Amino acid sequence: MASCTLPLQEALNDSISSGLFADTKIILYSRRDGASGTIIKPKTLYANGHVLKSVPYFGNQKLAESEPKDFSEPIDEDEQAKKYGYCSDSDLEDEEDAVDVGRAVPPYGESNESSGKGAVIKIHDIALITFQAFLMYLYTGHIEFAPYGSKENRRSRSKEIVSLSEDSIPRPSPKSIYRLADKYDIPPLKRLALDNIRDGLERCDIVEEVFNKYSSSHEEVRTIYATHLASVLSRAEEKSVQGLWVKVDEKIGRYINGNLDHAVDATTLLWKLSKGNVNCPPVTPAAEAP
Protein backbone atom coordinates (compact mmCIF):
# COMPACT_ATOMS: atom_id res chain seq x y z
CA MET A 1 0.00 0.00 0.00
CA ALA A 2 1.37 3.43 -0.97
CA SER A 3 2.28 5.75 1.89
CA CYS A 4 1.20 9.38 2.27
CA THR A 5 3.40 12.11 0.89
CA LEU A 6 4.61 14.84 3.27
CA PRO A 7 2.18 17.49 1.89
CA LEU A 8 -0.70 15.06 2.46
CA GLN A 9 0.44 14.32 6.01
CA GLU A 10 0.51 18.06 6.70
CA ALA A 11 -2.94 18.52 5.16
CA LEU A 12 -4.37 15.64 7.18
CA ASN A 13 -2.89 17.08 10.35
CA ASP A 14 -4.51 20.47 9.63
CA SER A 15 -7.84 18.82 8.87
CA ILE A 16 -7.94 17.18 12.30
CA SER A 17 -8.38 20.56 13.97
CA SER A 18 -10.17 22.42 11.17
CA GLY A 19 -12.58 19.71 10.17
CA LEU A 20 -11.86 20.52 6.50
CA PHE A 21 -9.83 18.67 3.93
CA ALA A 22 -11.18 19.30 0.41
CA ASP A 23 -10.95 23.09 0.14
CA THR A 24 -10.47 23.41 -3.62
CA LYS A 25 -12.97 22.69 -6.39
CA ILE A 26 -11.50 21.84 -9.78
CA ILE A 27 -13.55 21.85 -12.98
CA LEU A 28 -12.24 19.74 -15.84
CA TYR A 29 -13.60 18.26 -19.05
CA SER A 30 -14.38 14.61 -19.48
CA ARG A 31 -15.68 13.86 -22.96
CA ARG A 32 -15.00 14.27 -26.69
CA ASP A 33 -17.86 14.81 -29.11
CA GLY A 34 -17.54 12.15 -31.78
CA ALA A 35 -18.85 14.28 -34.62
CA SER A 36 -17.05 17.59 -34.06
CA GLY A 37 -14.10 16.57 -31.89
CA THR A 38 -15.11 19.29 -29.42
CA ILE A 39 -14.12 18.65 -25.79
CA ILE A 40 -17.24 18.80 -23.62
CA LYS A 41 -18.92 17.75 -20.36
CA PRO A 42 -17.20 19.58 -17.50
CA LYS A 43 -17.17 17.70 -14.18
CA THR A 44 -15.79 18.48 -10.77
CA LEU A 45 -13.07 17.07 -8.55
CA TYR A 46 -12.19 18.23 -5.04
CA ALA A 47 -8.70 18.54 -3.65
CA ASN A 48 -6.70 19.85 -0.74
CA GLY A 49 -5.12 23.21 -1.53
CA HIS A 50 -2.07 22.60 0.66
CA VAL A 51 -1.20 19.50 -1.35
CA LEU A 52 -1.85 21.28 -4.65
CA LYS A 53 0.43 24.13 -3.60
CA SER A 54 3.31 21.64 -3.34
CA VAL A 55 3.31 22.03 -7.14
CA PRO A 56 4.68 25.56 -7.82
CA TYR A 57 2.35 26.04 -10.79
CA PHE A 58 -0.65 25.98 -8.47
CA GLY A 59 1.00 27.69 -5.53
CA ASN A 60 2.26 30.58 -7.64
CA GLN A 61 -0.60 30.98 -10.09
CA LYS A 62 -3.90 29.13 -10.04
CA LEU A 63 -4.69 29.08 -6.32
CA ALA A 64 -3.15 32.48 -5.67
CA GLU A 65 -5.47 34.01 -8.28
CA SER A 66 -8.62 32.22 -7.12
CA GLU A 67 -11.15 33.92 -4.83
CA PRO A 68 -13.17 31.69 -2.43
CA LYS A 69 -16.52 30.66 -3.91
CA ASP A 70 -19.49 28.56 -2.88
CA PHE A 71 -18.93 24.93 -3.93
CA SER A 72 -22.66 24.34 -4.32
CA GLU A 73 -22.84 26.76 -7.24
CA PRO A 74 -23.66 24.55 -10.24
CA ILE A 75 -21.36 24.31 -13.22
CA ASP A 76 -22.49 24.77 -16.81
CA GLU A 77 -22.53 21.17 -18.02
CA ASP A 78 -22.99 22.32 -21.63
CA GLU A 79 -19.78 24.35 -21.64
CA GLN A 80 -16.99 23.43 -24.07
CA ALA A 81 -13.28 23.44 -23.33
CA LYS A 82 -11.25 26.28 -24.78
CA LYS A 83 -7.99 25.42 -26.55
CA TYR A 84 -7.72 21.86 -25.24
CA GLY A 85 -4.75 21.22 -27.50
CA TYR A 86 -4.83 17.41 -27.55
CA CYS A 87 -8.04 16.26 -29.16
CA SER A 88 -6.87 12.65 -29.56
CA ASP A 89 -6.34 12.35 -25.77
CA SER A 90 -7.31 8.78 -24.86
CA ASP A 91 -8.17 9.86 -21.31
CA LEU A 92 -11.25 11.58 -22.72
CA GLU A 93 -14.44 9.57 -23.01
CA ASP A 94 -15.81 9.26 -26.51
CA GLU A 95 -19.38 10.56 -26.71
CA GLU A 96 -20.88 7.29 -27.96
CA ASP A 97 -19.23 5.29 -25.14
CA ALA A 98 -19.61 7.75 -22.29
CA VAL A 99 -22.36 5.85 -20.46
CA ASP A 100 -20.41 2.60 -20.16
CA VAL A 101 -17.20 4.33 -19.13
CA GLY A 102 -19.07 6.47 -16.64
CA ARG A 103 -20.33 3.35 -14.90
CA ALA A 104 -16.80 2.01 -14.75
CA VAL A 105 -15.67 5.04 -12.77
CA PRO A 106 -18.68 6.31 -10.78
CA PRO A 107 -17.55 9.93 -10.12
CA TYR A 108 -17.63 10.58 -13.87
CA GLY A 109 -21.17 9.38 -14.44
CA GLU A 110 -22.99 12.34 -12.90
CA SER A 111 -22.44 15.76 -11.42
CA ASN A 112 -20.93 15.61 -7.94
CA GLU A 113 -21.45 19.10 -6.53
CA SER A 114 -20.47 19.52 -2.88
CA SER A 115 -21.23 21.97 -0.11
CA GLY A 116 -18.64 24.27 1.39
CA LYS A 117 -16.57 27.17 0.17
CA GLY A 118 -13.07 27.56 -1.20
CA ALA A 119 -10.95 28.11 -4.26
CA VAL A 120 -12.53 27.17 -7.59
CA ILE A 121 -10.31 26.66 -10.62
CA LYS A 122 -11.17 25.62 -14.15
CA ILE A 123 -8.70 23.67 -16.28
CA HIS A 124 -9.42 23.59 -20.01
CA ASP A 125 -6.61 21.39 -21.29
CA ILE A 126 -6.35 18.34 -19.02
CA ALA A 127 -8.83 15.45 -18.94
CA LEU A 128 -10.72 14.66 -15.76
CA ILE A 129 -9.27 11.15 -15.62
CA THR A 130 -5.71 12.42 -16.00
CA PHE A 131 -6.09 14.99 -13.25
CA GLN A 132 -7.67 12.60 -10.76
CA ALA A 133 -4.77 10.19 -11.21
CA PHE A 134 -2.41 13.16 -10.80
CA LEU A 135 -4.07 14.11 -7.51
CA MET A 136 -3.64 10.59 -6.21
CA TYR A 137 0.01 10.78 -7.22
CA LEU A 138 0.38 13.97 -5.18
CA TYR A 139 -1.26 12.27 -2.21
CA THR A 140 0.55 8.92 -2.36
CA GLY A 141 3.56 9.27 -4.66
CA HIS A 142 2.18 6.37 -6.72
CA ILE A 143 0.59 6.11 -10.16
CA GLU A 144 -0.37 3.17 -12.34
CA PHE A 145 -0.85 3.59 -16.07
CA ALA A 146 -3.28 2.00 -18.48
CA PRO A 147 -1.81 -0.56 -20.90
CA TYR A 148 -0.04 1.46 -23.55
CA GLY A 149 -0.41 1.44 -27.31
CA SER A 150 -1.30 4.06 -29.88
CA LYS A 151 -4.19 2.00 -31.25
CA GLU A 152 -5.76 1.69 -27.82
CA ASN A 153 -8.02 4.43 -26.58
CA ARG A 154 -10.43 4.84 -23.74
CA ARG A 155 -13.24 3.33 -25.78
CA SER A 156 -11.40 0.01 -26.00
CA ARG A 157 -10.44 -0.23 -22.32
CA SER A 158 -12.37 -2.62 -20.14
CA LYS A 159 -13.53 -1.70 -16.65
CA GLU A 160 -10.59 -3.64 -15.21
CA ILE A 161 -8.12 -1.67 -17.34
CA VAL A 162 -9.68 1.72 -16.61
CA SER A 163 -9.77 1.17 -12.84
CA LEU A 164 -7.30 -0.23 -10.36
CA SER A 165 -10.25 -1.75 -8.51
CA GLU A 166 -13.99 -1.25 -7.99
CA ASP A 167 -14.81 2.44 -7.39
CA SER A 168 -11.11 3.24 -7.60
CA ILE A 169 -9.05 5.81 -9.40
CA PRO A 170 -8.55 5.31 -13.14
CA ARG A 171 -5.36 4.30 -14.85
CA PRO A 172 -4.41 7.24 -17.10
CA SER A 173 -2.54 7.24 -20.39
CA PRO A 174 1.22 7.78 -19.92
CA LYS A 175 1.13 10.31 -22.75
CA SER A 176 -1.60 12.29 -21.01
CA ILE A 177 0.32 12.24 -17.73
CA TYR A 178 3.56 13.25 -19.47
CA ARG A 179 1.75 16.21 -21.03
CA LEU A 180 0.42 17.25 -17.62
CA ALA A 181 3.80 16.82 -15.90
CA ASP A 182 5.50 18.81 -18.65
CA LYS A 183 3.00 21.66 -18.29
CA TYR A 184 3.27 21.74 -14.49
CA ASP A 185 7.05 21.10 -14.46
CA ILE A 186 7.09 17.91 -12.37
CA PRO A 187 10.27 16.03 -13.44
CA PRO A 188 9.72 12.86 -11.33
CA LEU A 189 6.26 12.36 -12.83
CA LYS A 190 7.60 13.03 -16.33
CA ARG A 191 10.21 10.29 -15.80
CA LEU A 192 7.56 7.79 -14.71
CA ALA A 193 5.50 8.55 -17.80
CA LEU A 194 8.52 8.36 -20.12
CA ASP A 195 9.57 5.03 -18.63
CA ASN A 196 6.10 3.66 -19.27
CA ILE A 197 6.16 4.96 -22.85
CA ARG A 198 9.50 3.20 -23.40
CA ASP A 199 8.05 -0.02 -22.03
CA GLY A 200 5.26 0.14 -24.61
CA LEU A 201 7.36 0.76 -27.72
CA GLU A 202 7.01 -2.78 -29.04
CA ARG A 203 3.21 -2.65 -28.73
CA CYS A 204 2.46 0.71 -30.36
CA ASP A 205 2.11 1.78 -33.98
CA ILE A 206 5.59 3.30 -33.98
CA VAL A 207 5.39 5.07 -37.34
CA GLU A 208 2.13 6.77 -36.37
CA GLU A 209 3.63 7.80 -33.04
CA VAL A 210 6.73 9.35 -34.63
CA PHE A 211 4.75 11.47 -37.07
CA ASN A 212 1.66 12.46 -35.08
CA LYS A 213 0.91 15.88 -33.60
CA TYR A 214 1.55 14.75 -30.05
CA SER A 215 5.19 13.93 -30.83
CA SER A 216 5.60 17.23 -32.66
CA SER A 217 4.83 19.00 -29.37
CA HIS A 218 6.99 16.91 -27.02
CA GLU A 219 10.67 16.59 -27.91
CA GLU A 220 11.59 13.93 -25.34
CA VAL A 221 8.78 11.65 -26.47
CA ARG A 222 9.54 12.30 -30.13
CA THR A 223 13.18 11.31 -29.56
CA ILE A 224 12.20 8.06 -27.88
CA TYR A 225 9.87 7.11 -30.73
CA ALA A 226 12.24 8.14 -33.53
CA THR A 227 15.24 6.38 -31.95
CA HIS A 228 13.24 3.18 -31.64
CA LEU A 229 11.94 3.41 -35.20
CA ALA A 230 15.44 4.04 -36.58
CA SER A 231 16.69 0.99 -34.70
CA VAL A 232 13.90 -1.18 -36.10
CA LEU A 233 14.43 0.11 -39.64
CA SER A 234 18.12 -0.84 -39.44
CA ARG A 235 17.05 -4.50 -39.44
CA ALA A 236 16.35 -4.41 -43.17
CA GLU A 237 16.46 -8.19 -43.53
CA GLU A 238 13.26 -8.66 -41.54
CA LYS A 239 10.05 -8.82 -43.57
CA SER A 240 8.12 -6.84 -40.98
CA VAL A 241 10.48 -3.91 -41.50
CA GLN A 242 9.48 -3.62 -45.14
CA GLY A 243 5.92 -2.88 -44.06
CA LEU A 244 7.21 -0.13 -41.79
CA TRP A 245 9.14 1.39 -44.69
CA VAL A 246 5.92 1.62 -46.68
CA LYS A 247 4.35 3.59 -43.84
CA VAL A 248 7.42 5.82 -43.42
CA ASP A 249 7.50 6.45 -47.17
CA GLU A 250 3.85 7.51 -47.08
CA LYS A 251 4.38 9.86 -44.13
CA ILE A 252 7.46 11.52 -45.59
CA GLY A 253 5.74 11.82 -48.95
CA ARG A 254 2.88 13.67 -47.27
CA TYR A 255 5.36 15.92 -45.50
CA ILE A 256 7.21 16.74 -48.74
CA ASN A 257 3.91 17.65 -50.35
CA GLY A 258 2.95 20.00 -47.53
CA ASN A 259 0.28 17.80 -45.95
CA LEU A 260 2.10 17.01 -42.71
CA ASP A 261 3.68 20.29 -41.68
CA HIS A 262 3.81 19.44 -37.96
CA ALA A 263 6.17 16.51 -38.72
CA VAL A 264 9.20 18.61 -39.74
CA ASP A 265 11.13 17.87 -36.52
CA ALA A 266 10.25 14.19 -36.58
CA THR A 267 11.29 13.82 -40.23
CA THR A 268 14.59 15.62 -39.63
CA LEU A 269 15.36 13.61 -36.49
CA LEU A 270 14.54 10.28 -38.12
CA TRP A 271 16.81 11.14 -41.05
CA LYS A 272 19.69 12.06 -38.73
CA LEU A 273 19.28 8.88 -36.69
CA SER A 274 18.97 6.67 -39.78
CA LYS A 275 21.64 8.21 -42.00
CA GLY A 276 24.45 5.76 -42.60
CA ASN A 277 22.73 3.01 -40.59
CA VAL A 278 19.68 2.23 -42.66
CA ASN A 279 19.17 1.13 -46.24
CA CYS A 280 16.55 3.81 -46.93
CA PRO A 281 14.25 3.04 -49.85
CA PRO A 282 13.62 6.10 -51.98
CA VAL A 283 10.70 8.28 -50.94
CA THR A 284 8.09 8.60 -53.63
CA PRO A 285 6.30 11.97 -53.49
CA ALA A 286 2.64 12.01 -54.37
CA ALA A 287 1.95 12.96 -57.96
CA GLU A 288 1.38 16.65 -58.50
CA ALA A 289 -1.98 17.77 -59.73
CA PRO A 290 -1.96 18.71 -63.44
Side-chain angles (χ1 to χ4, degrees), residues 27-44 75-89 91-99 107-109 122-129 154:
I27 303 170
L28 306 107
Y29 295 80
S30 62
R31 197 173 299 175
R32 173 178 41 239
D33 180 79
S36 66
T38 304
I39 310 305
I40 57 175
K41 296 298 179 185
K43 301 289 182 182
T44 54
I75 62 174
D76 180 0
E77 295 191 357
D78 293 324
E79 186 177 22
Q80 300 177 358
K82 301 171 183 175
K83 298 181 180 179
Y84 191 84
Y86 181 28
C87 290
S88 61
D89 191 346
D91 279 355
L92 291 166
E93 299 170 352
D94 285 307
E95 179 74 0
E96 61 269 28
D97 302 292
V99 174
Y108 305 155
K122 185 179 293 183
I123 299 175
H124 283 271
D125 57 355
I126 301 292
L128 186 78
I129 289 174
R154 184 163 172 71

Side-chain angles (χ1 to χ4, degrees), residues 3 9 33 99 129 201 218 267:
S3 59
Q9 292 178 44
D33 180 79
V99 174
I129 289 174
L201 287 173
H218 300 95
T267 304

Side-chain angles (χ1 to χ4, degrees), residues 104-176:
V105 188
Y108 305 155
E110 57 187 49
S111 180
N112 55 335
E113 299 306 321
S114 176
S115 60
K117 194 172 185 179
V120 177
I121 58 177
K122 185 179 293 183
I123 299 175
H124 283 271
D125 57 355
I126 301 292
L128 186 78
I129 289 174
T130 311
F131 204 89
Q132 183 168 351
F134 164 61
L135 286 176
M136 290 303 297
Y137 169 79
L138 291 183
Y139 292 160
T140 67
H142 175 75
I143 192 166
E144 186 167 342
F145 297 103
Y148 177 73
S150 59
K151 288 186 177 179
E152 293 181 6
N153 56 27
R154 184 163 172 71
R155 179 172 49 195
S156 66
R157 300 180 195 173
S158 67
K159 179 177 179 179
E160 290 71 24
I161 291 175
V162 171
S163 296
L164 295 174
S165 62
E166 183 72 23
D167 297 344
S168 184
I169 63 171
R171 293 173 173 170
S173 158
K175 290 166 63 178
S176 300

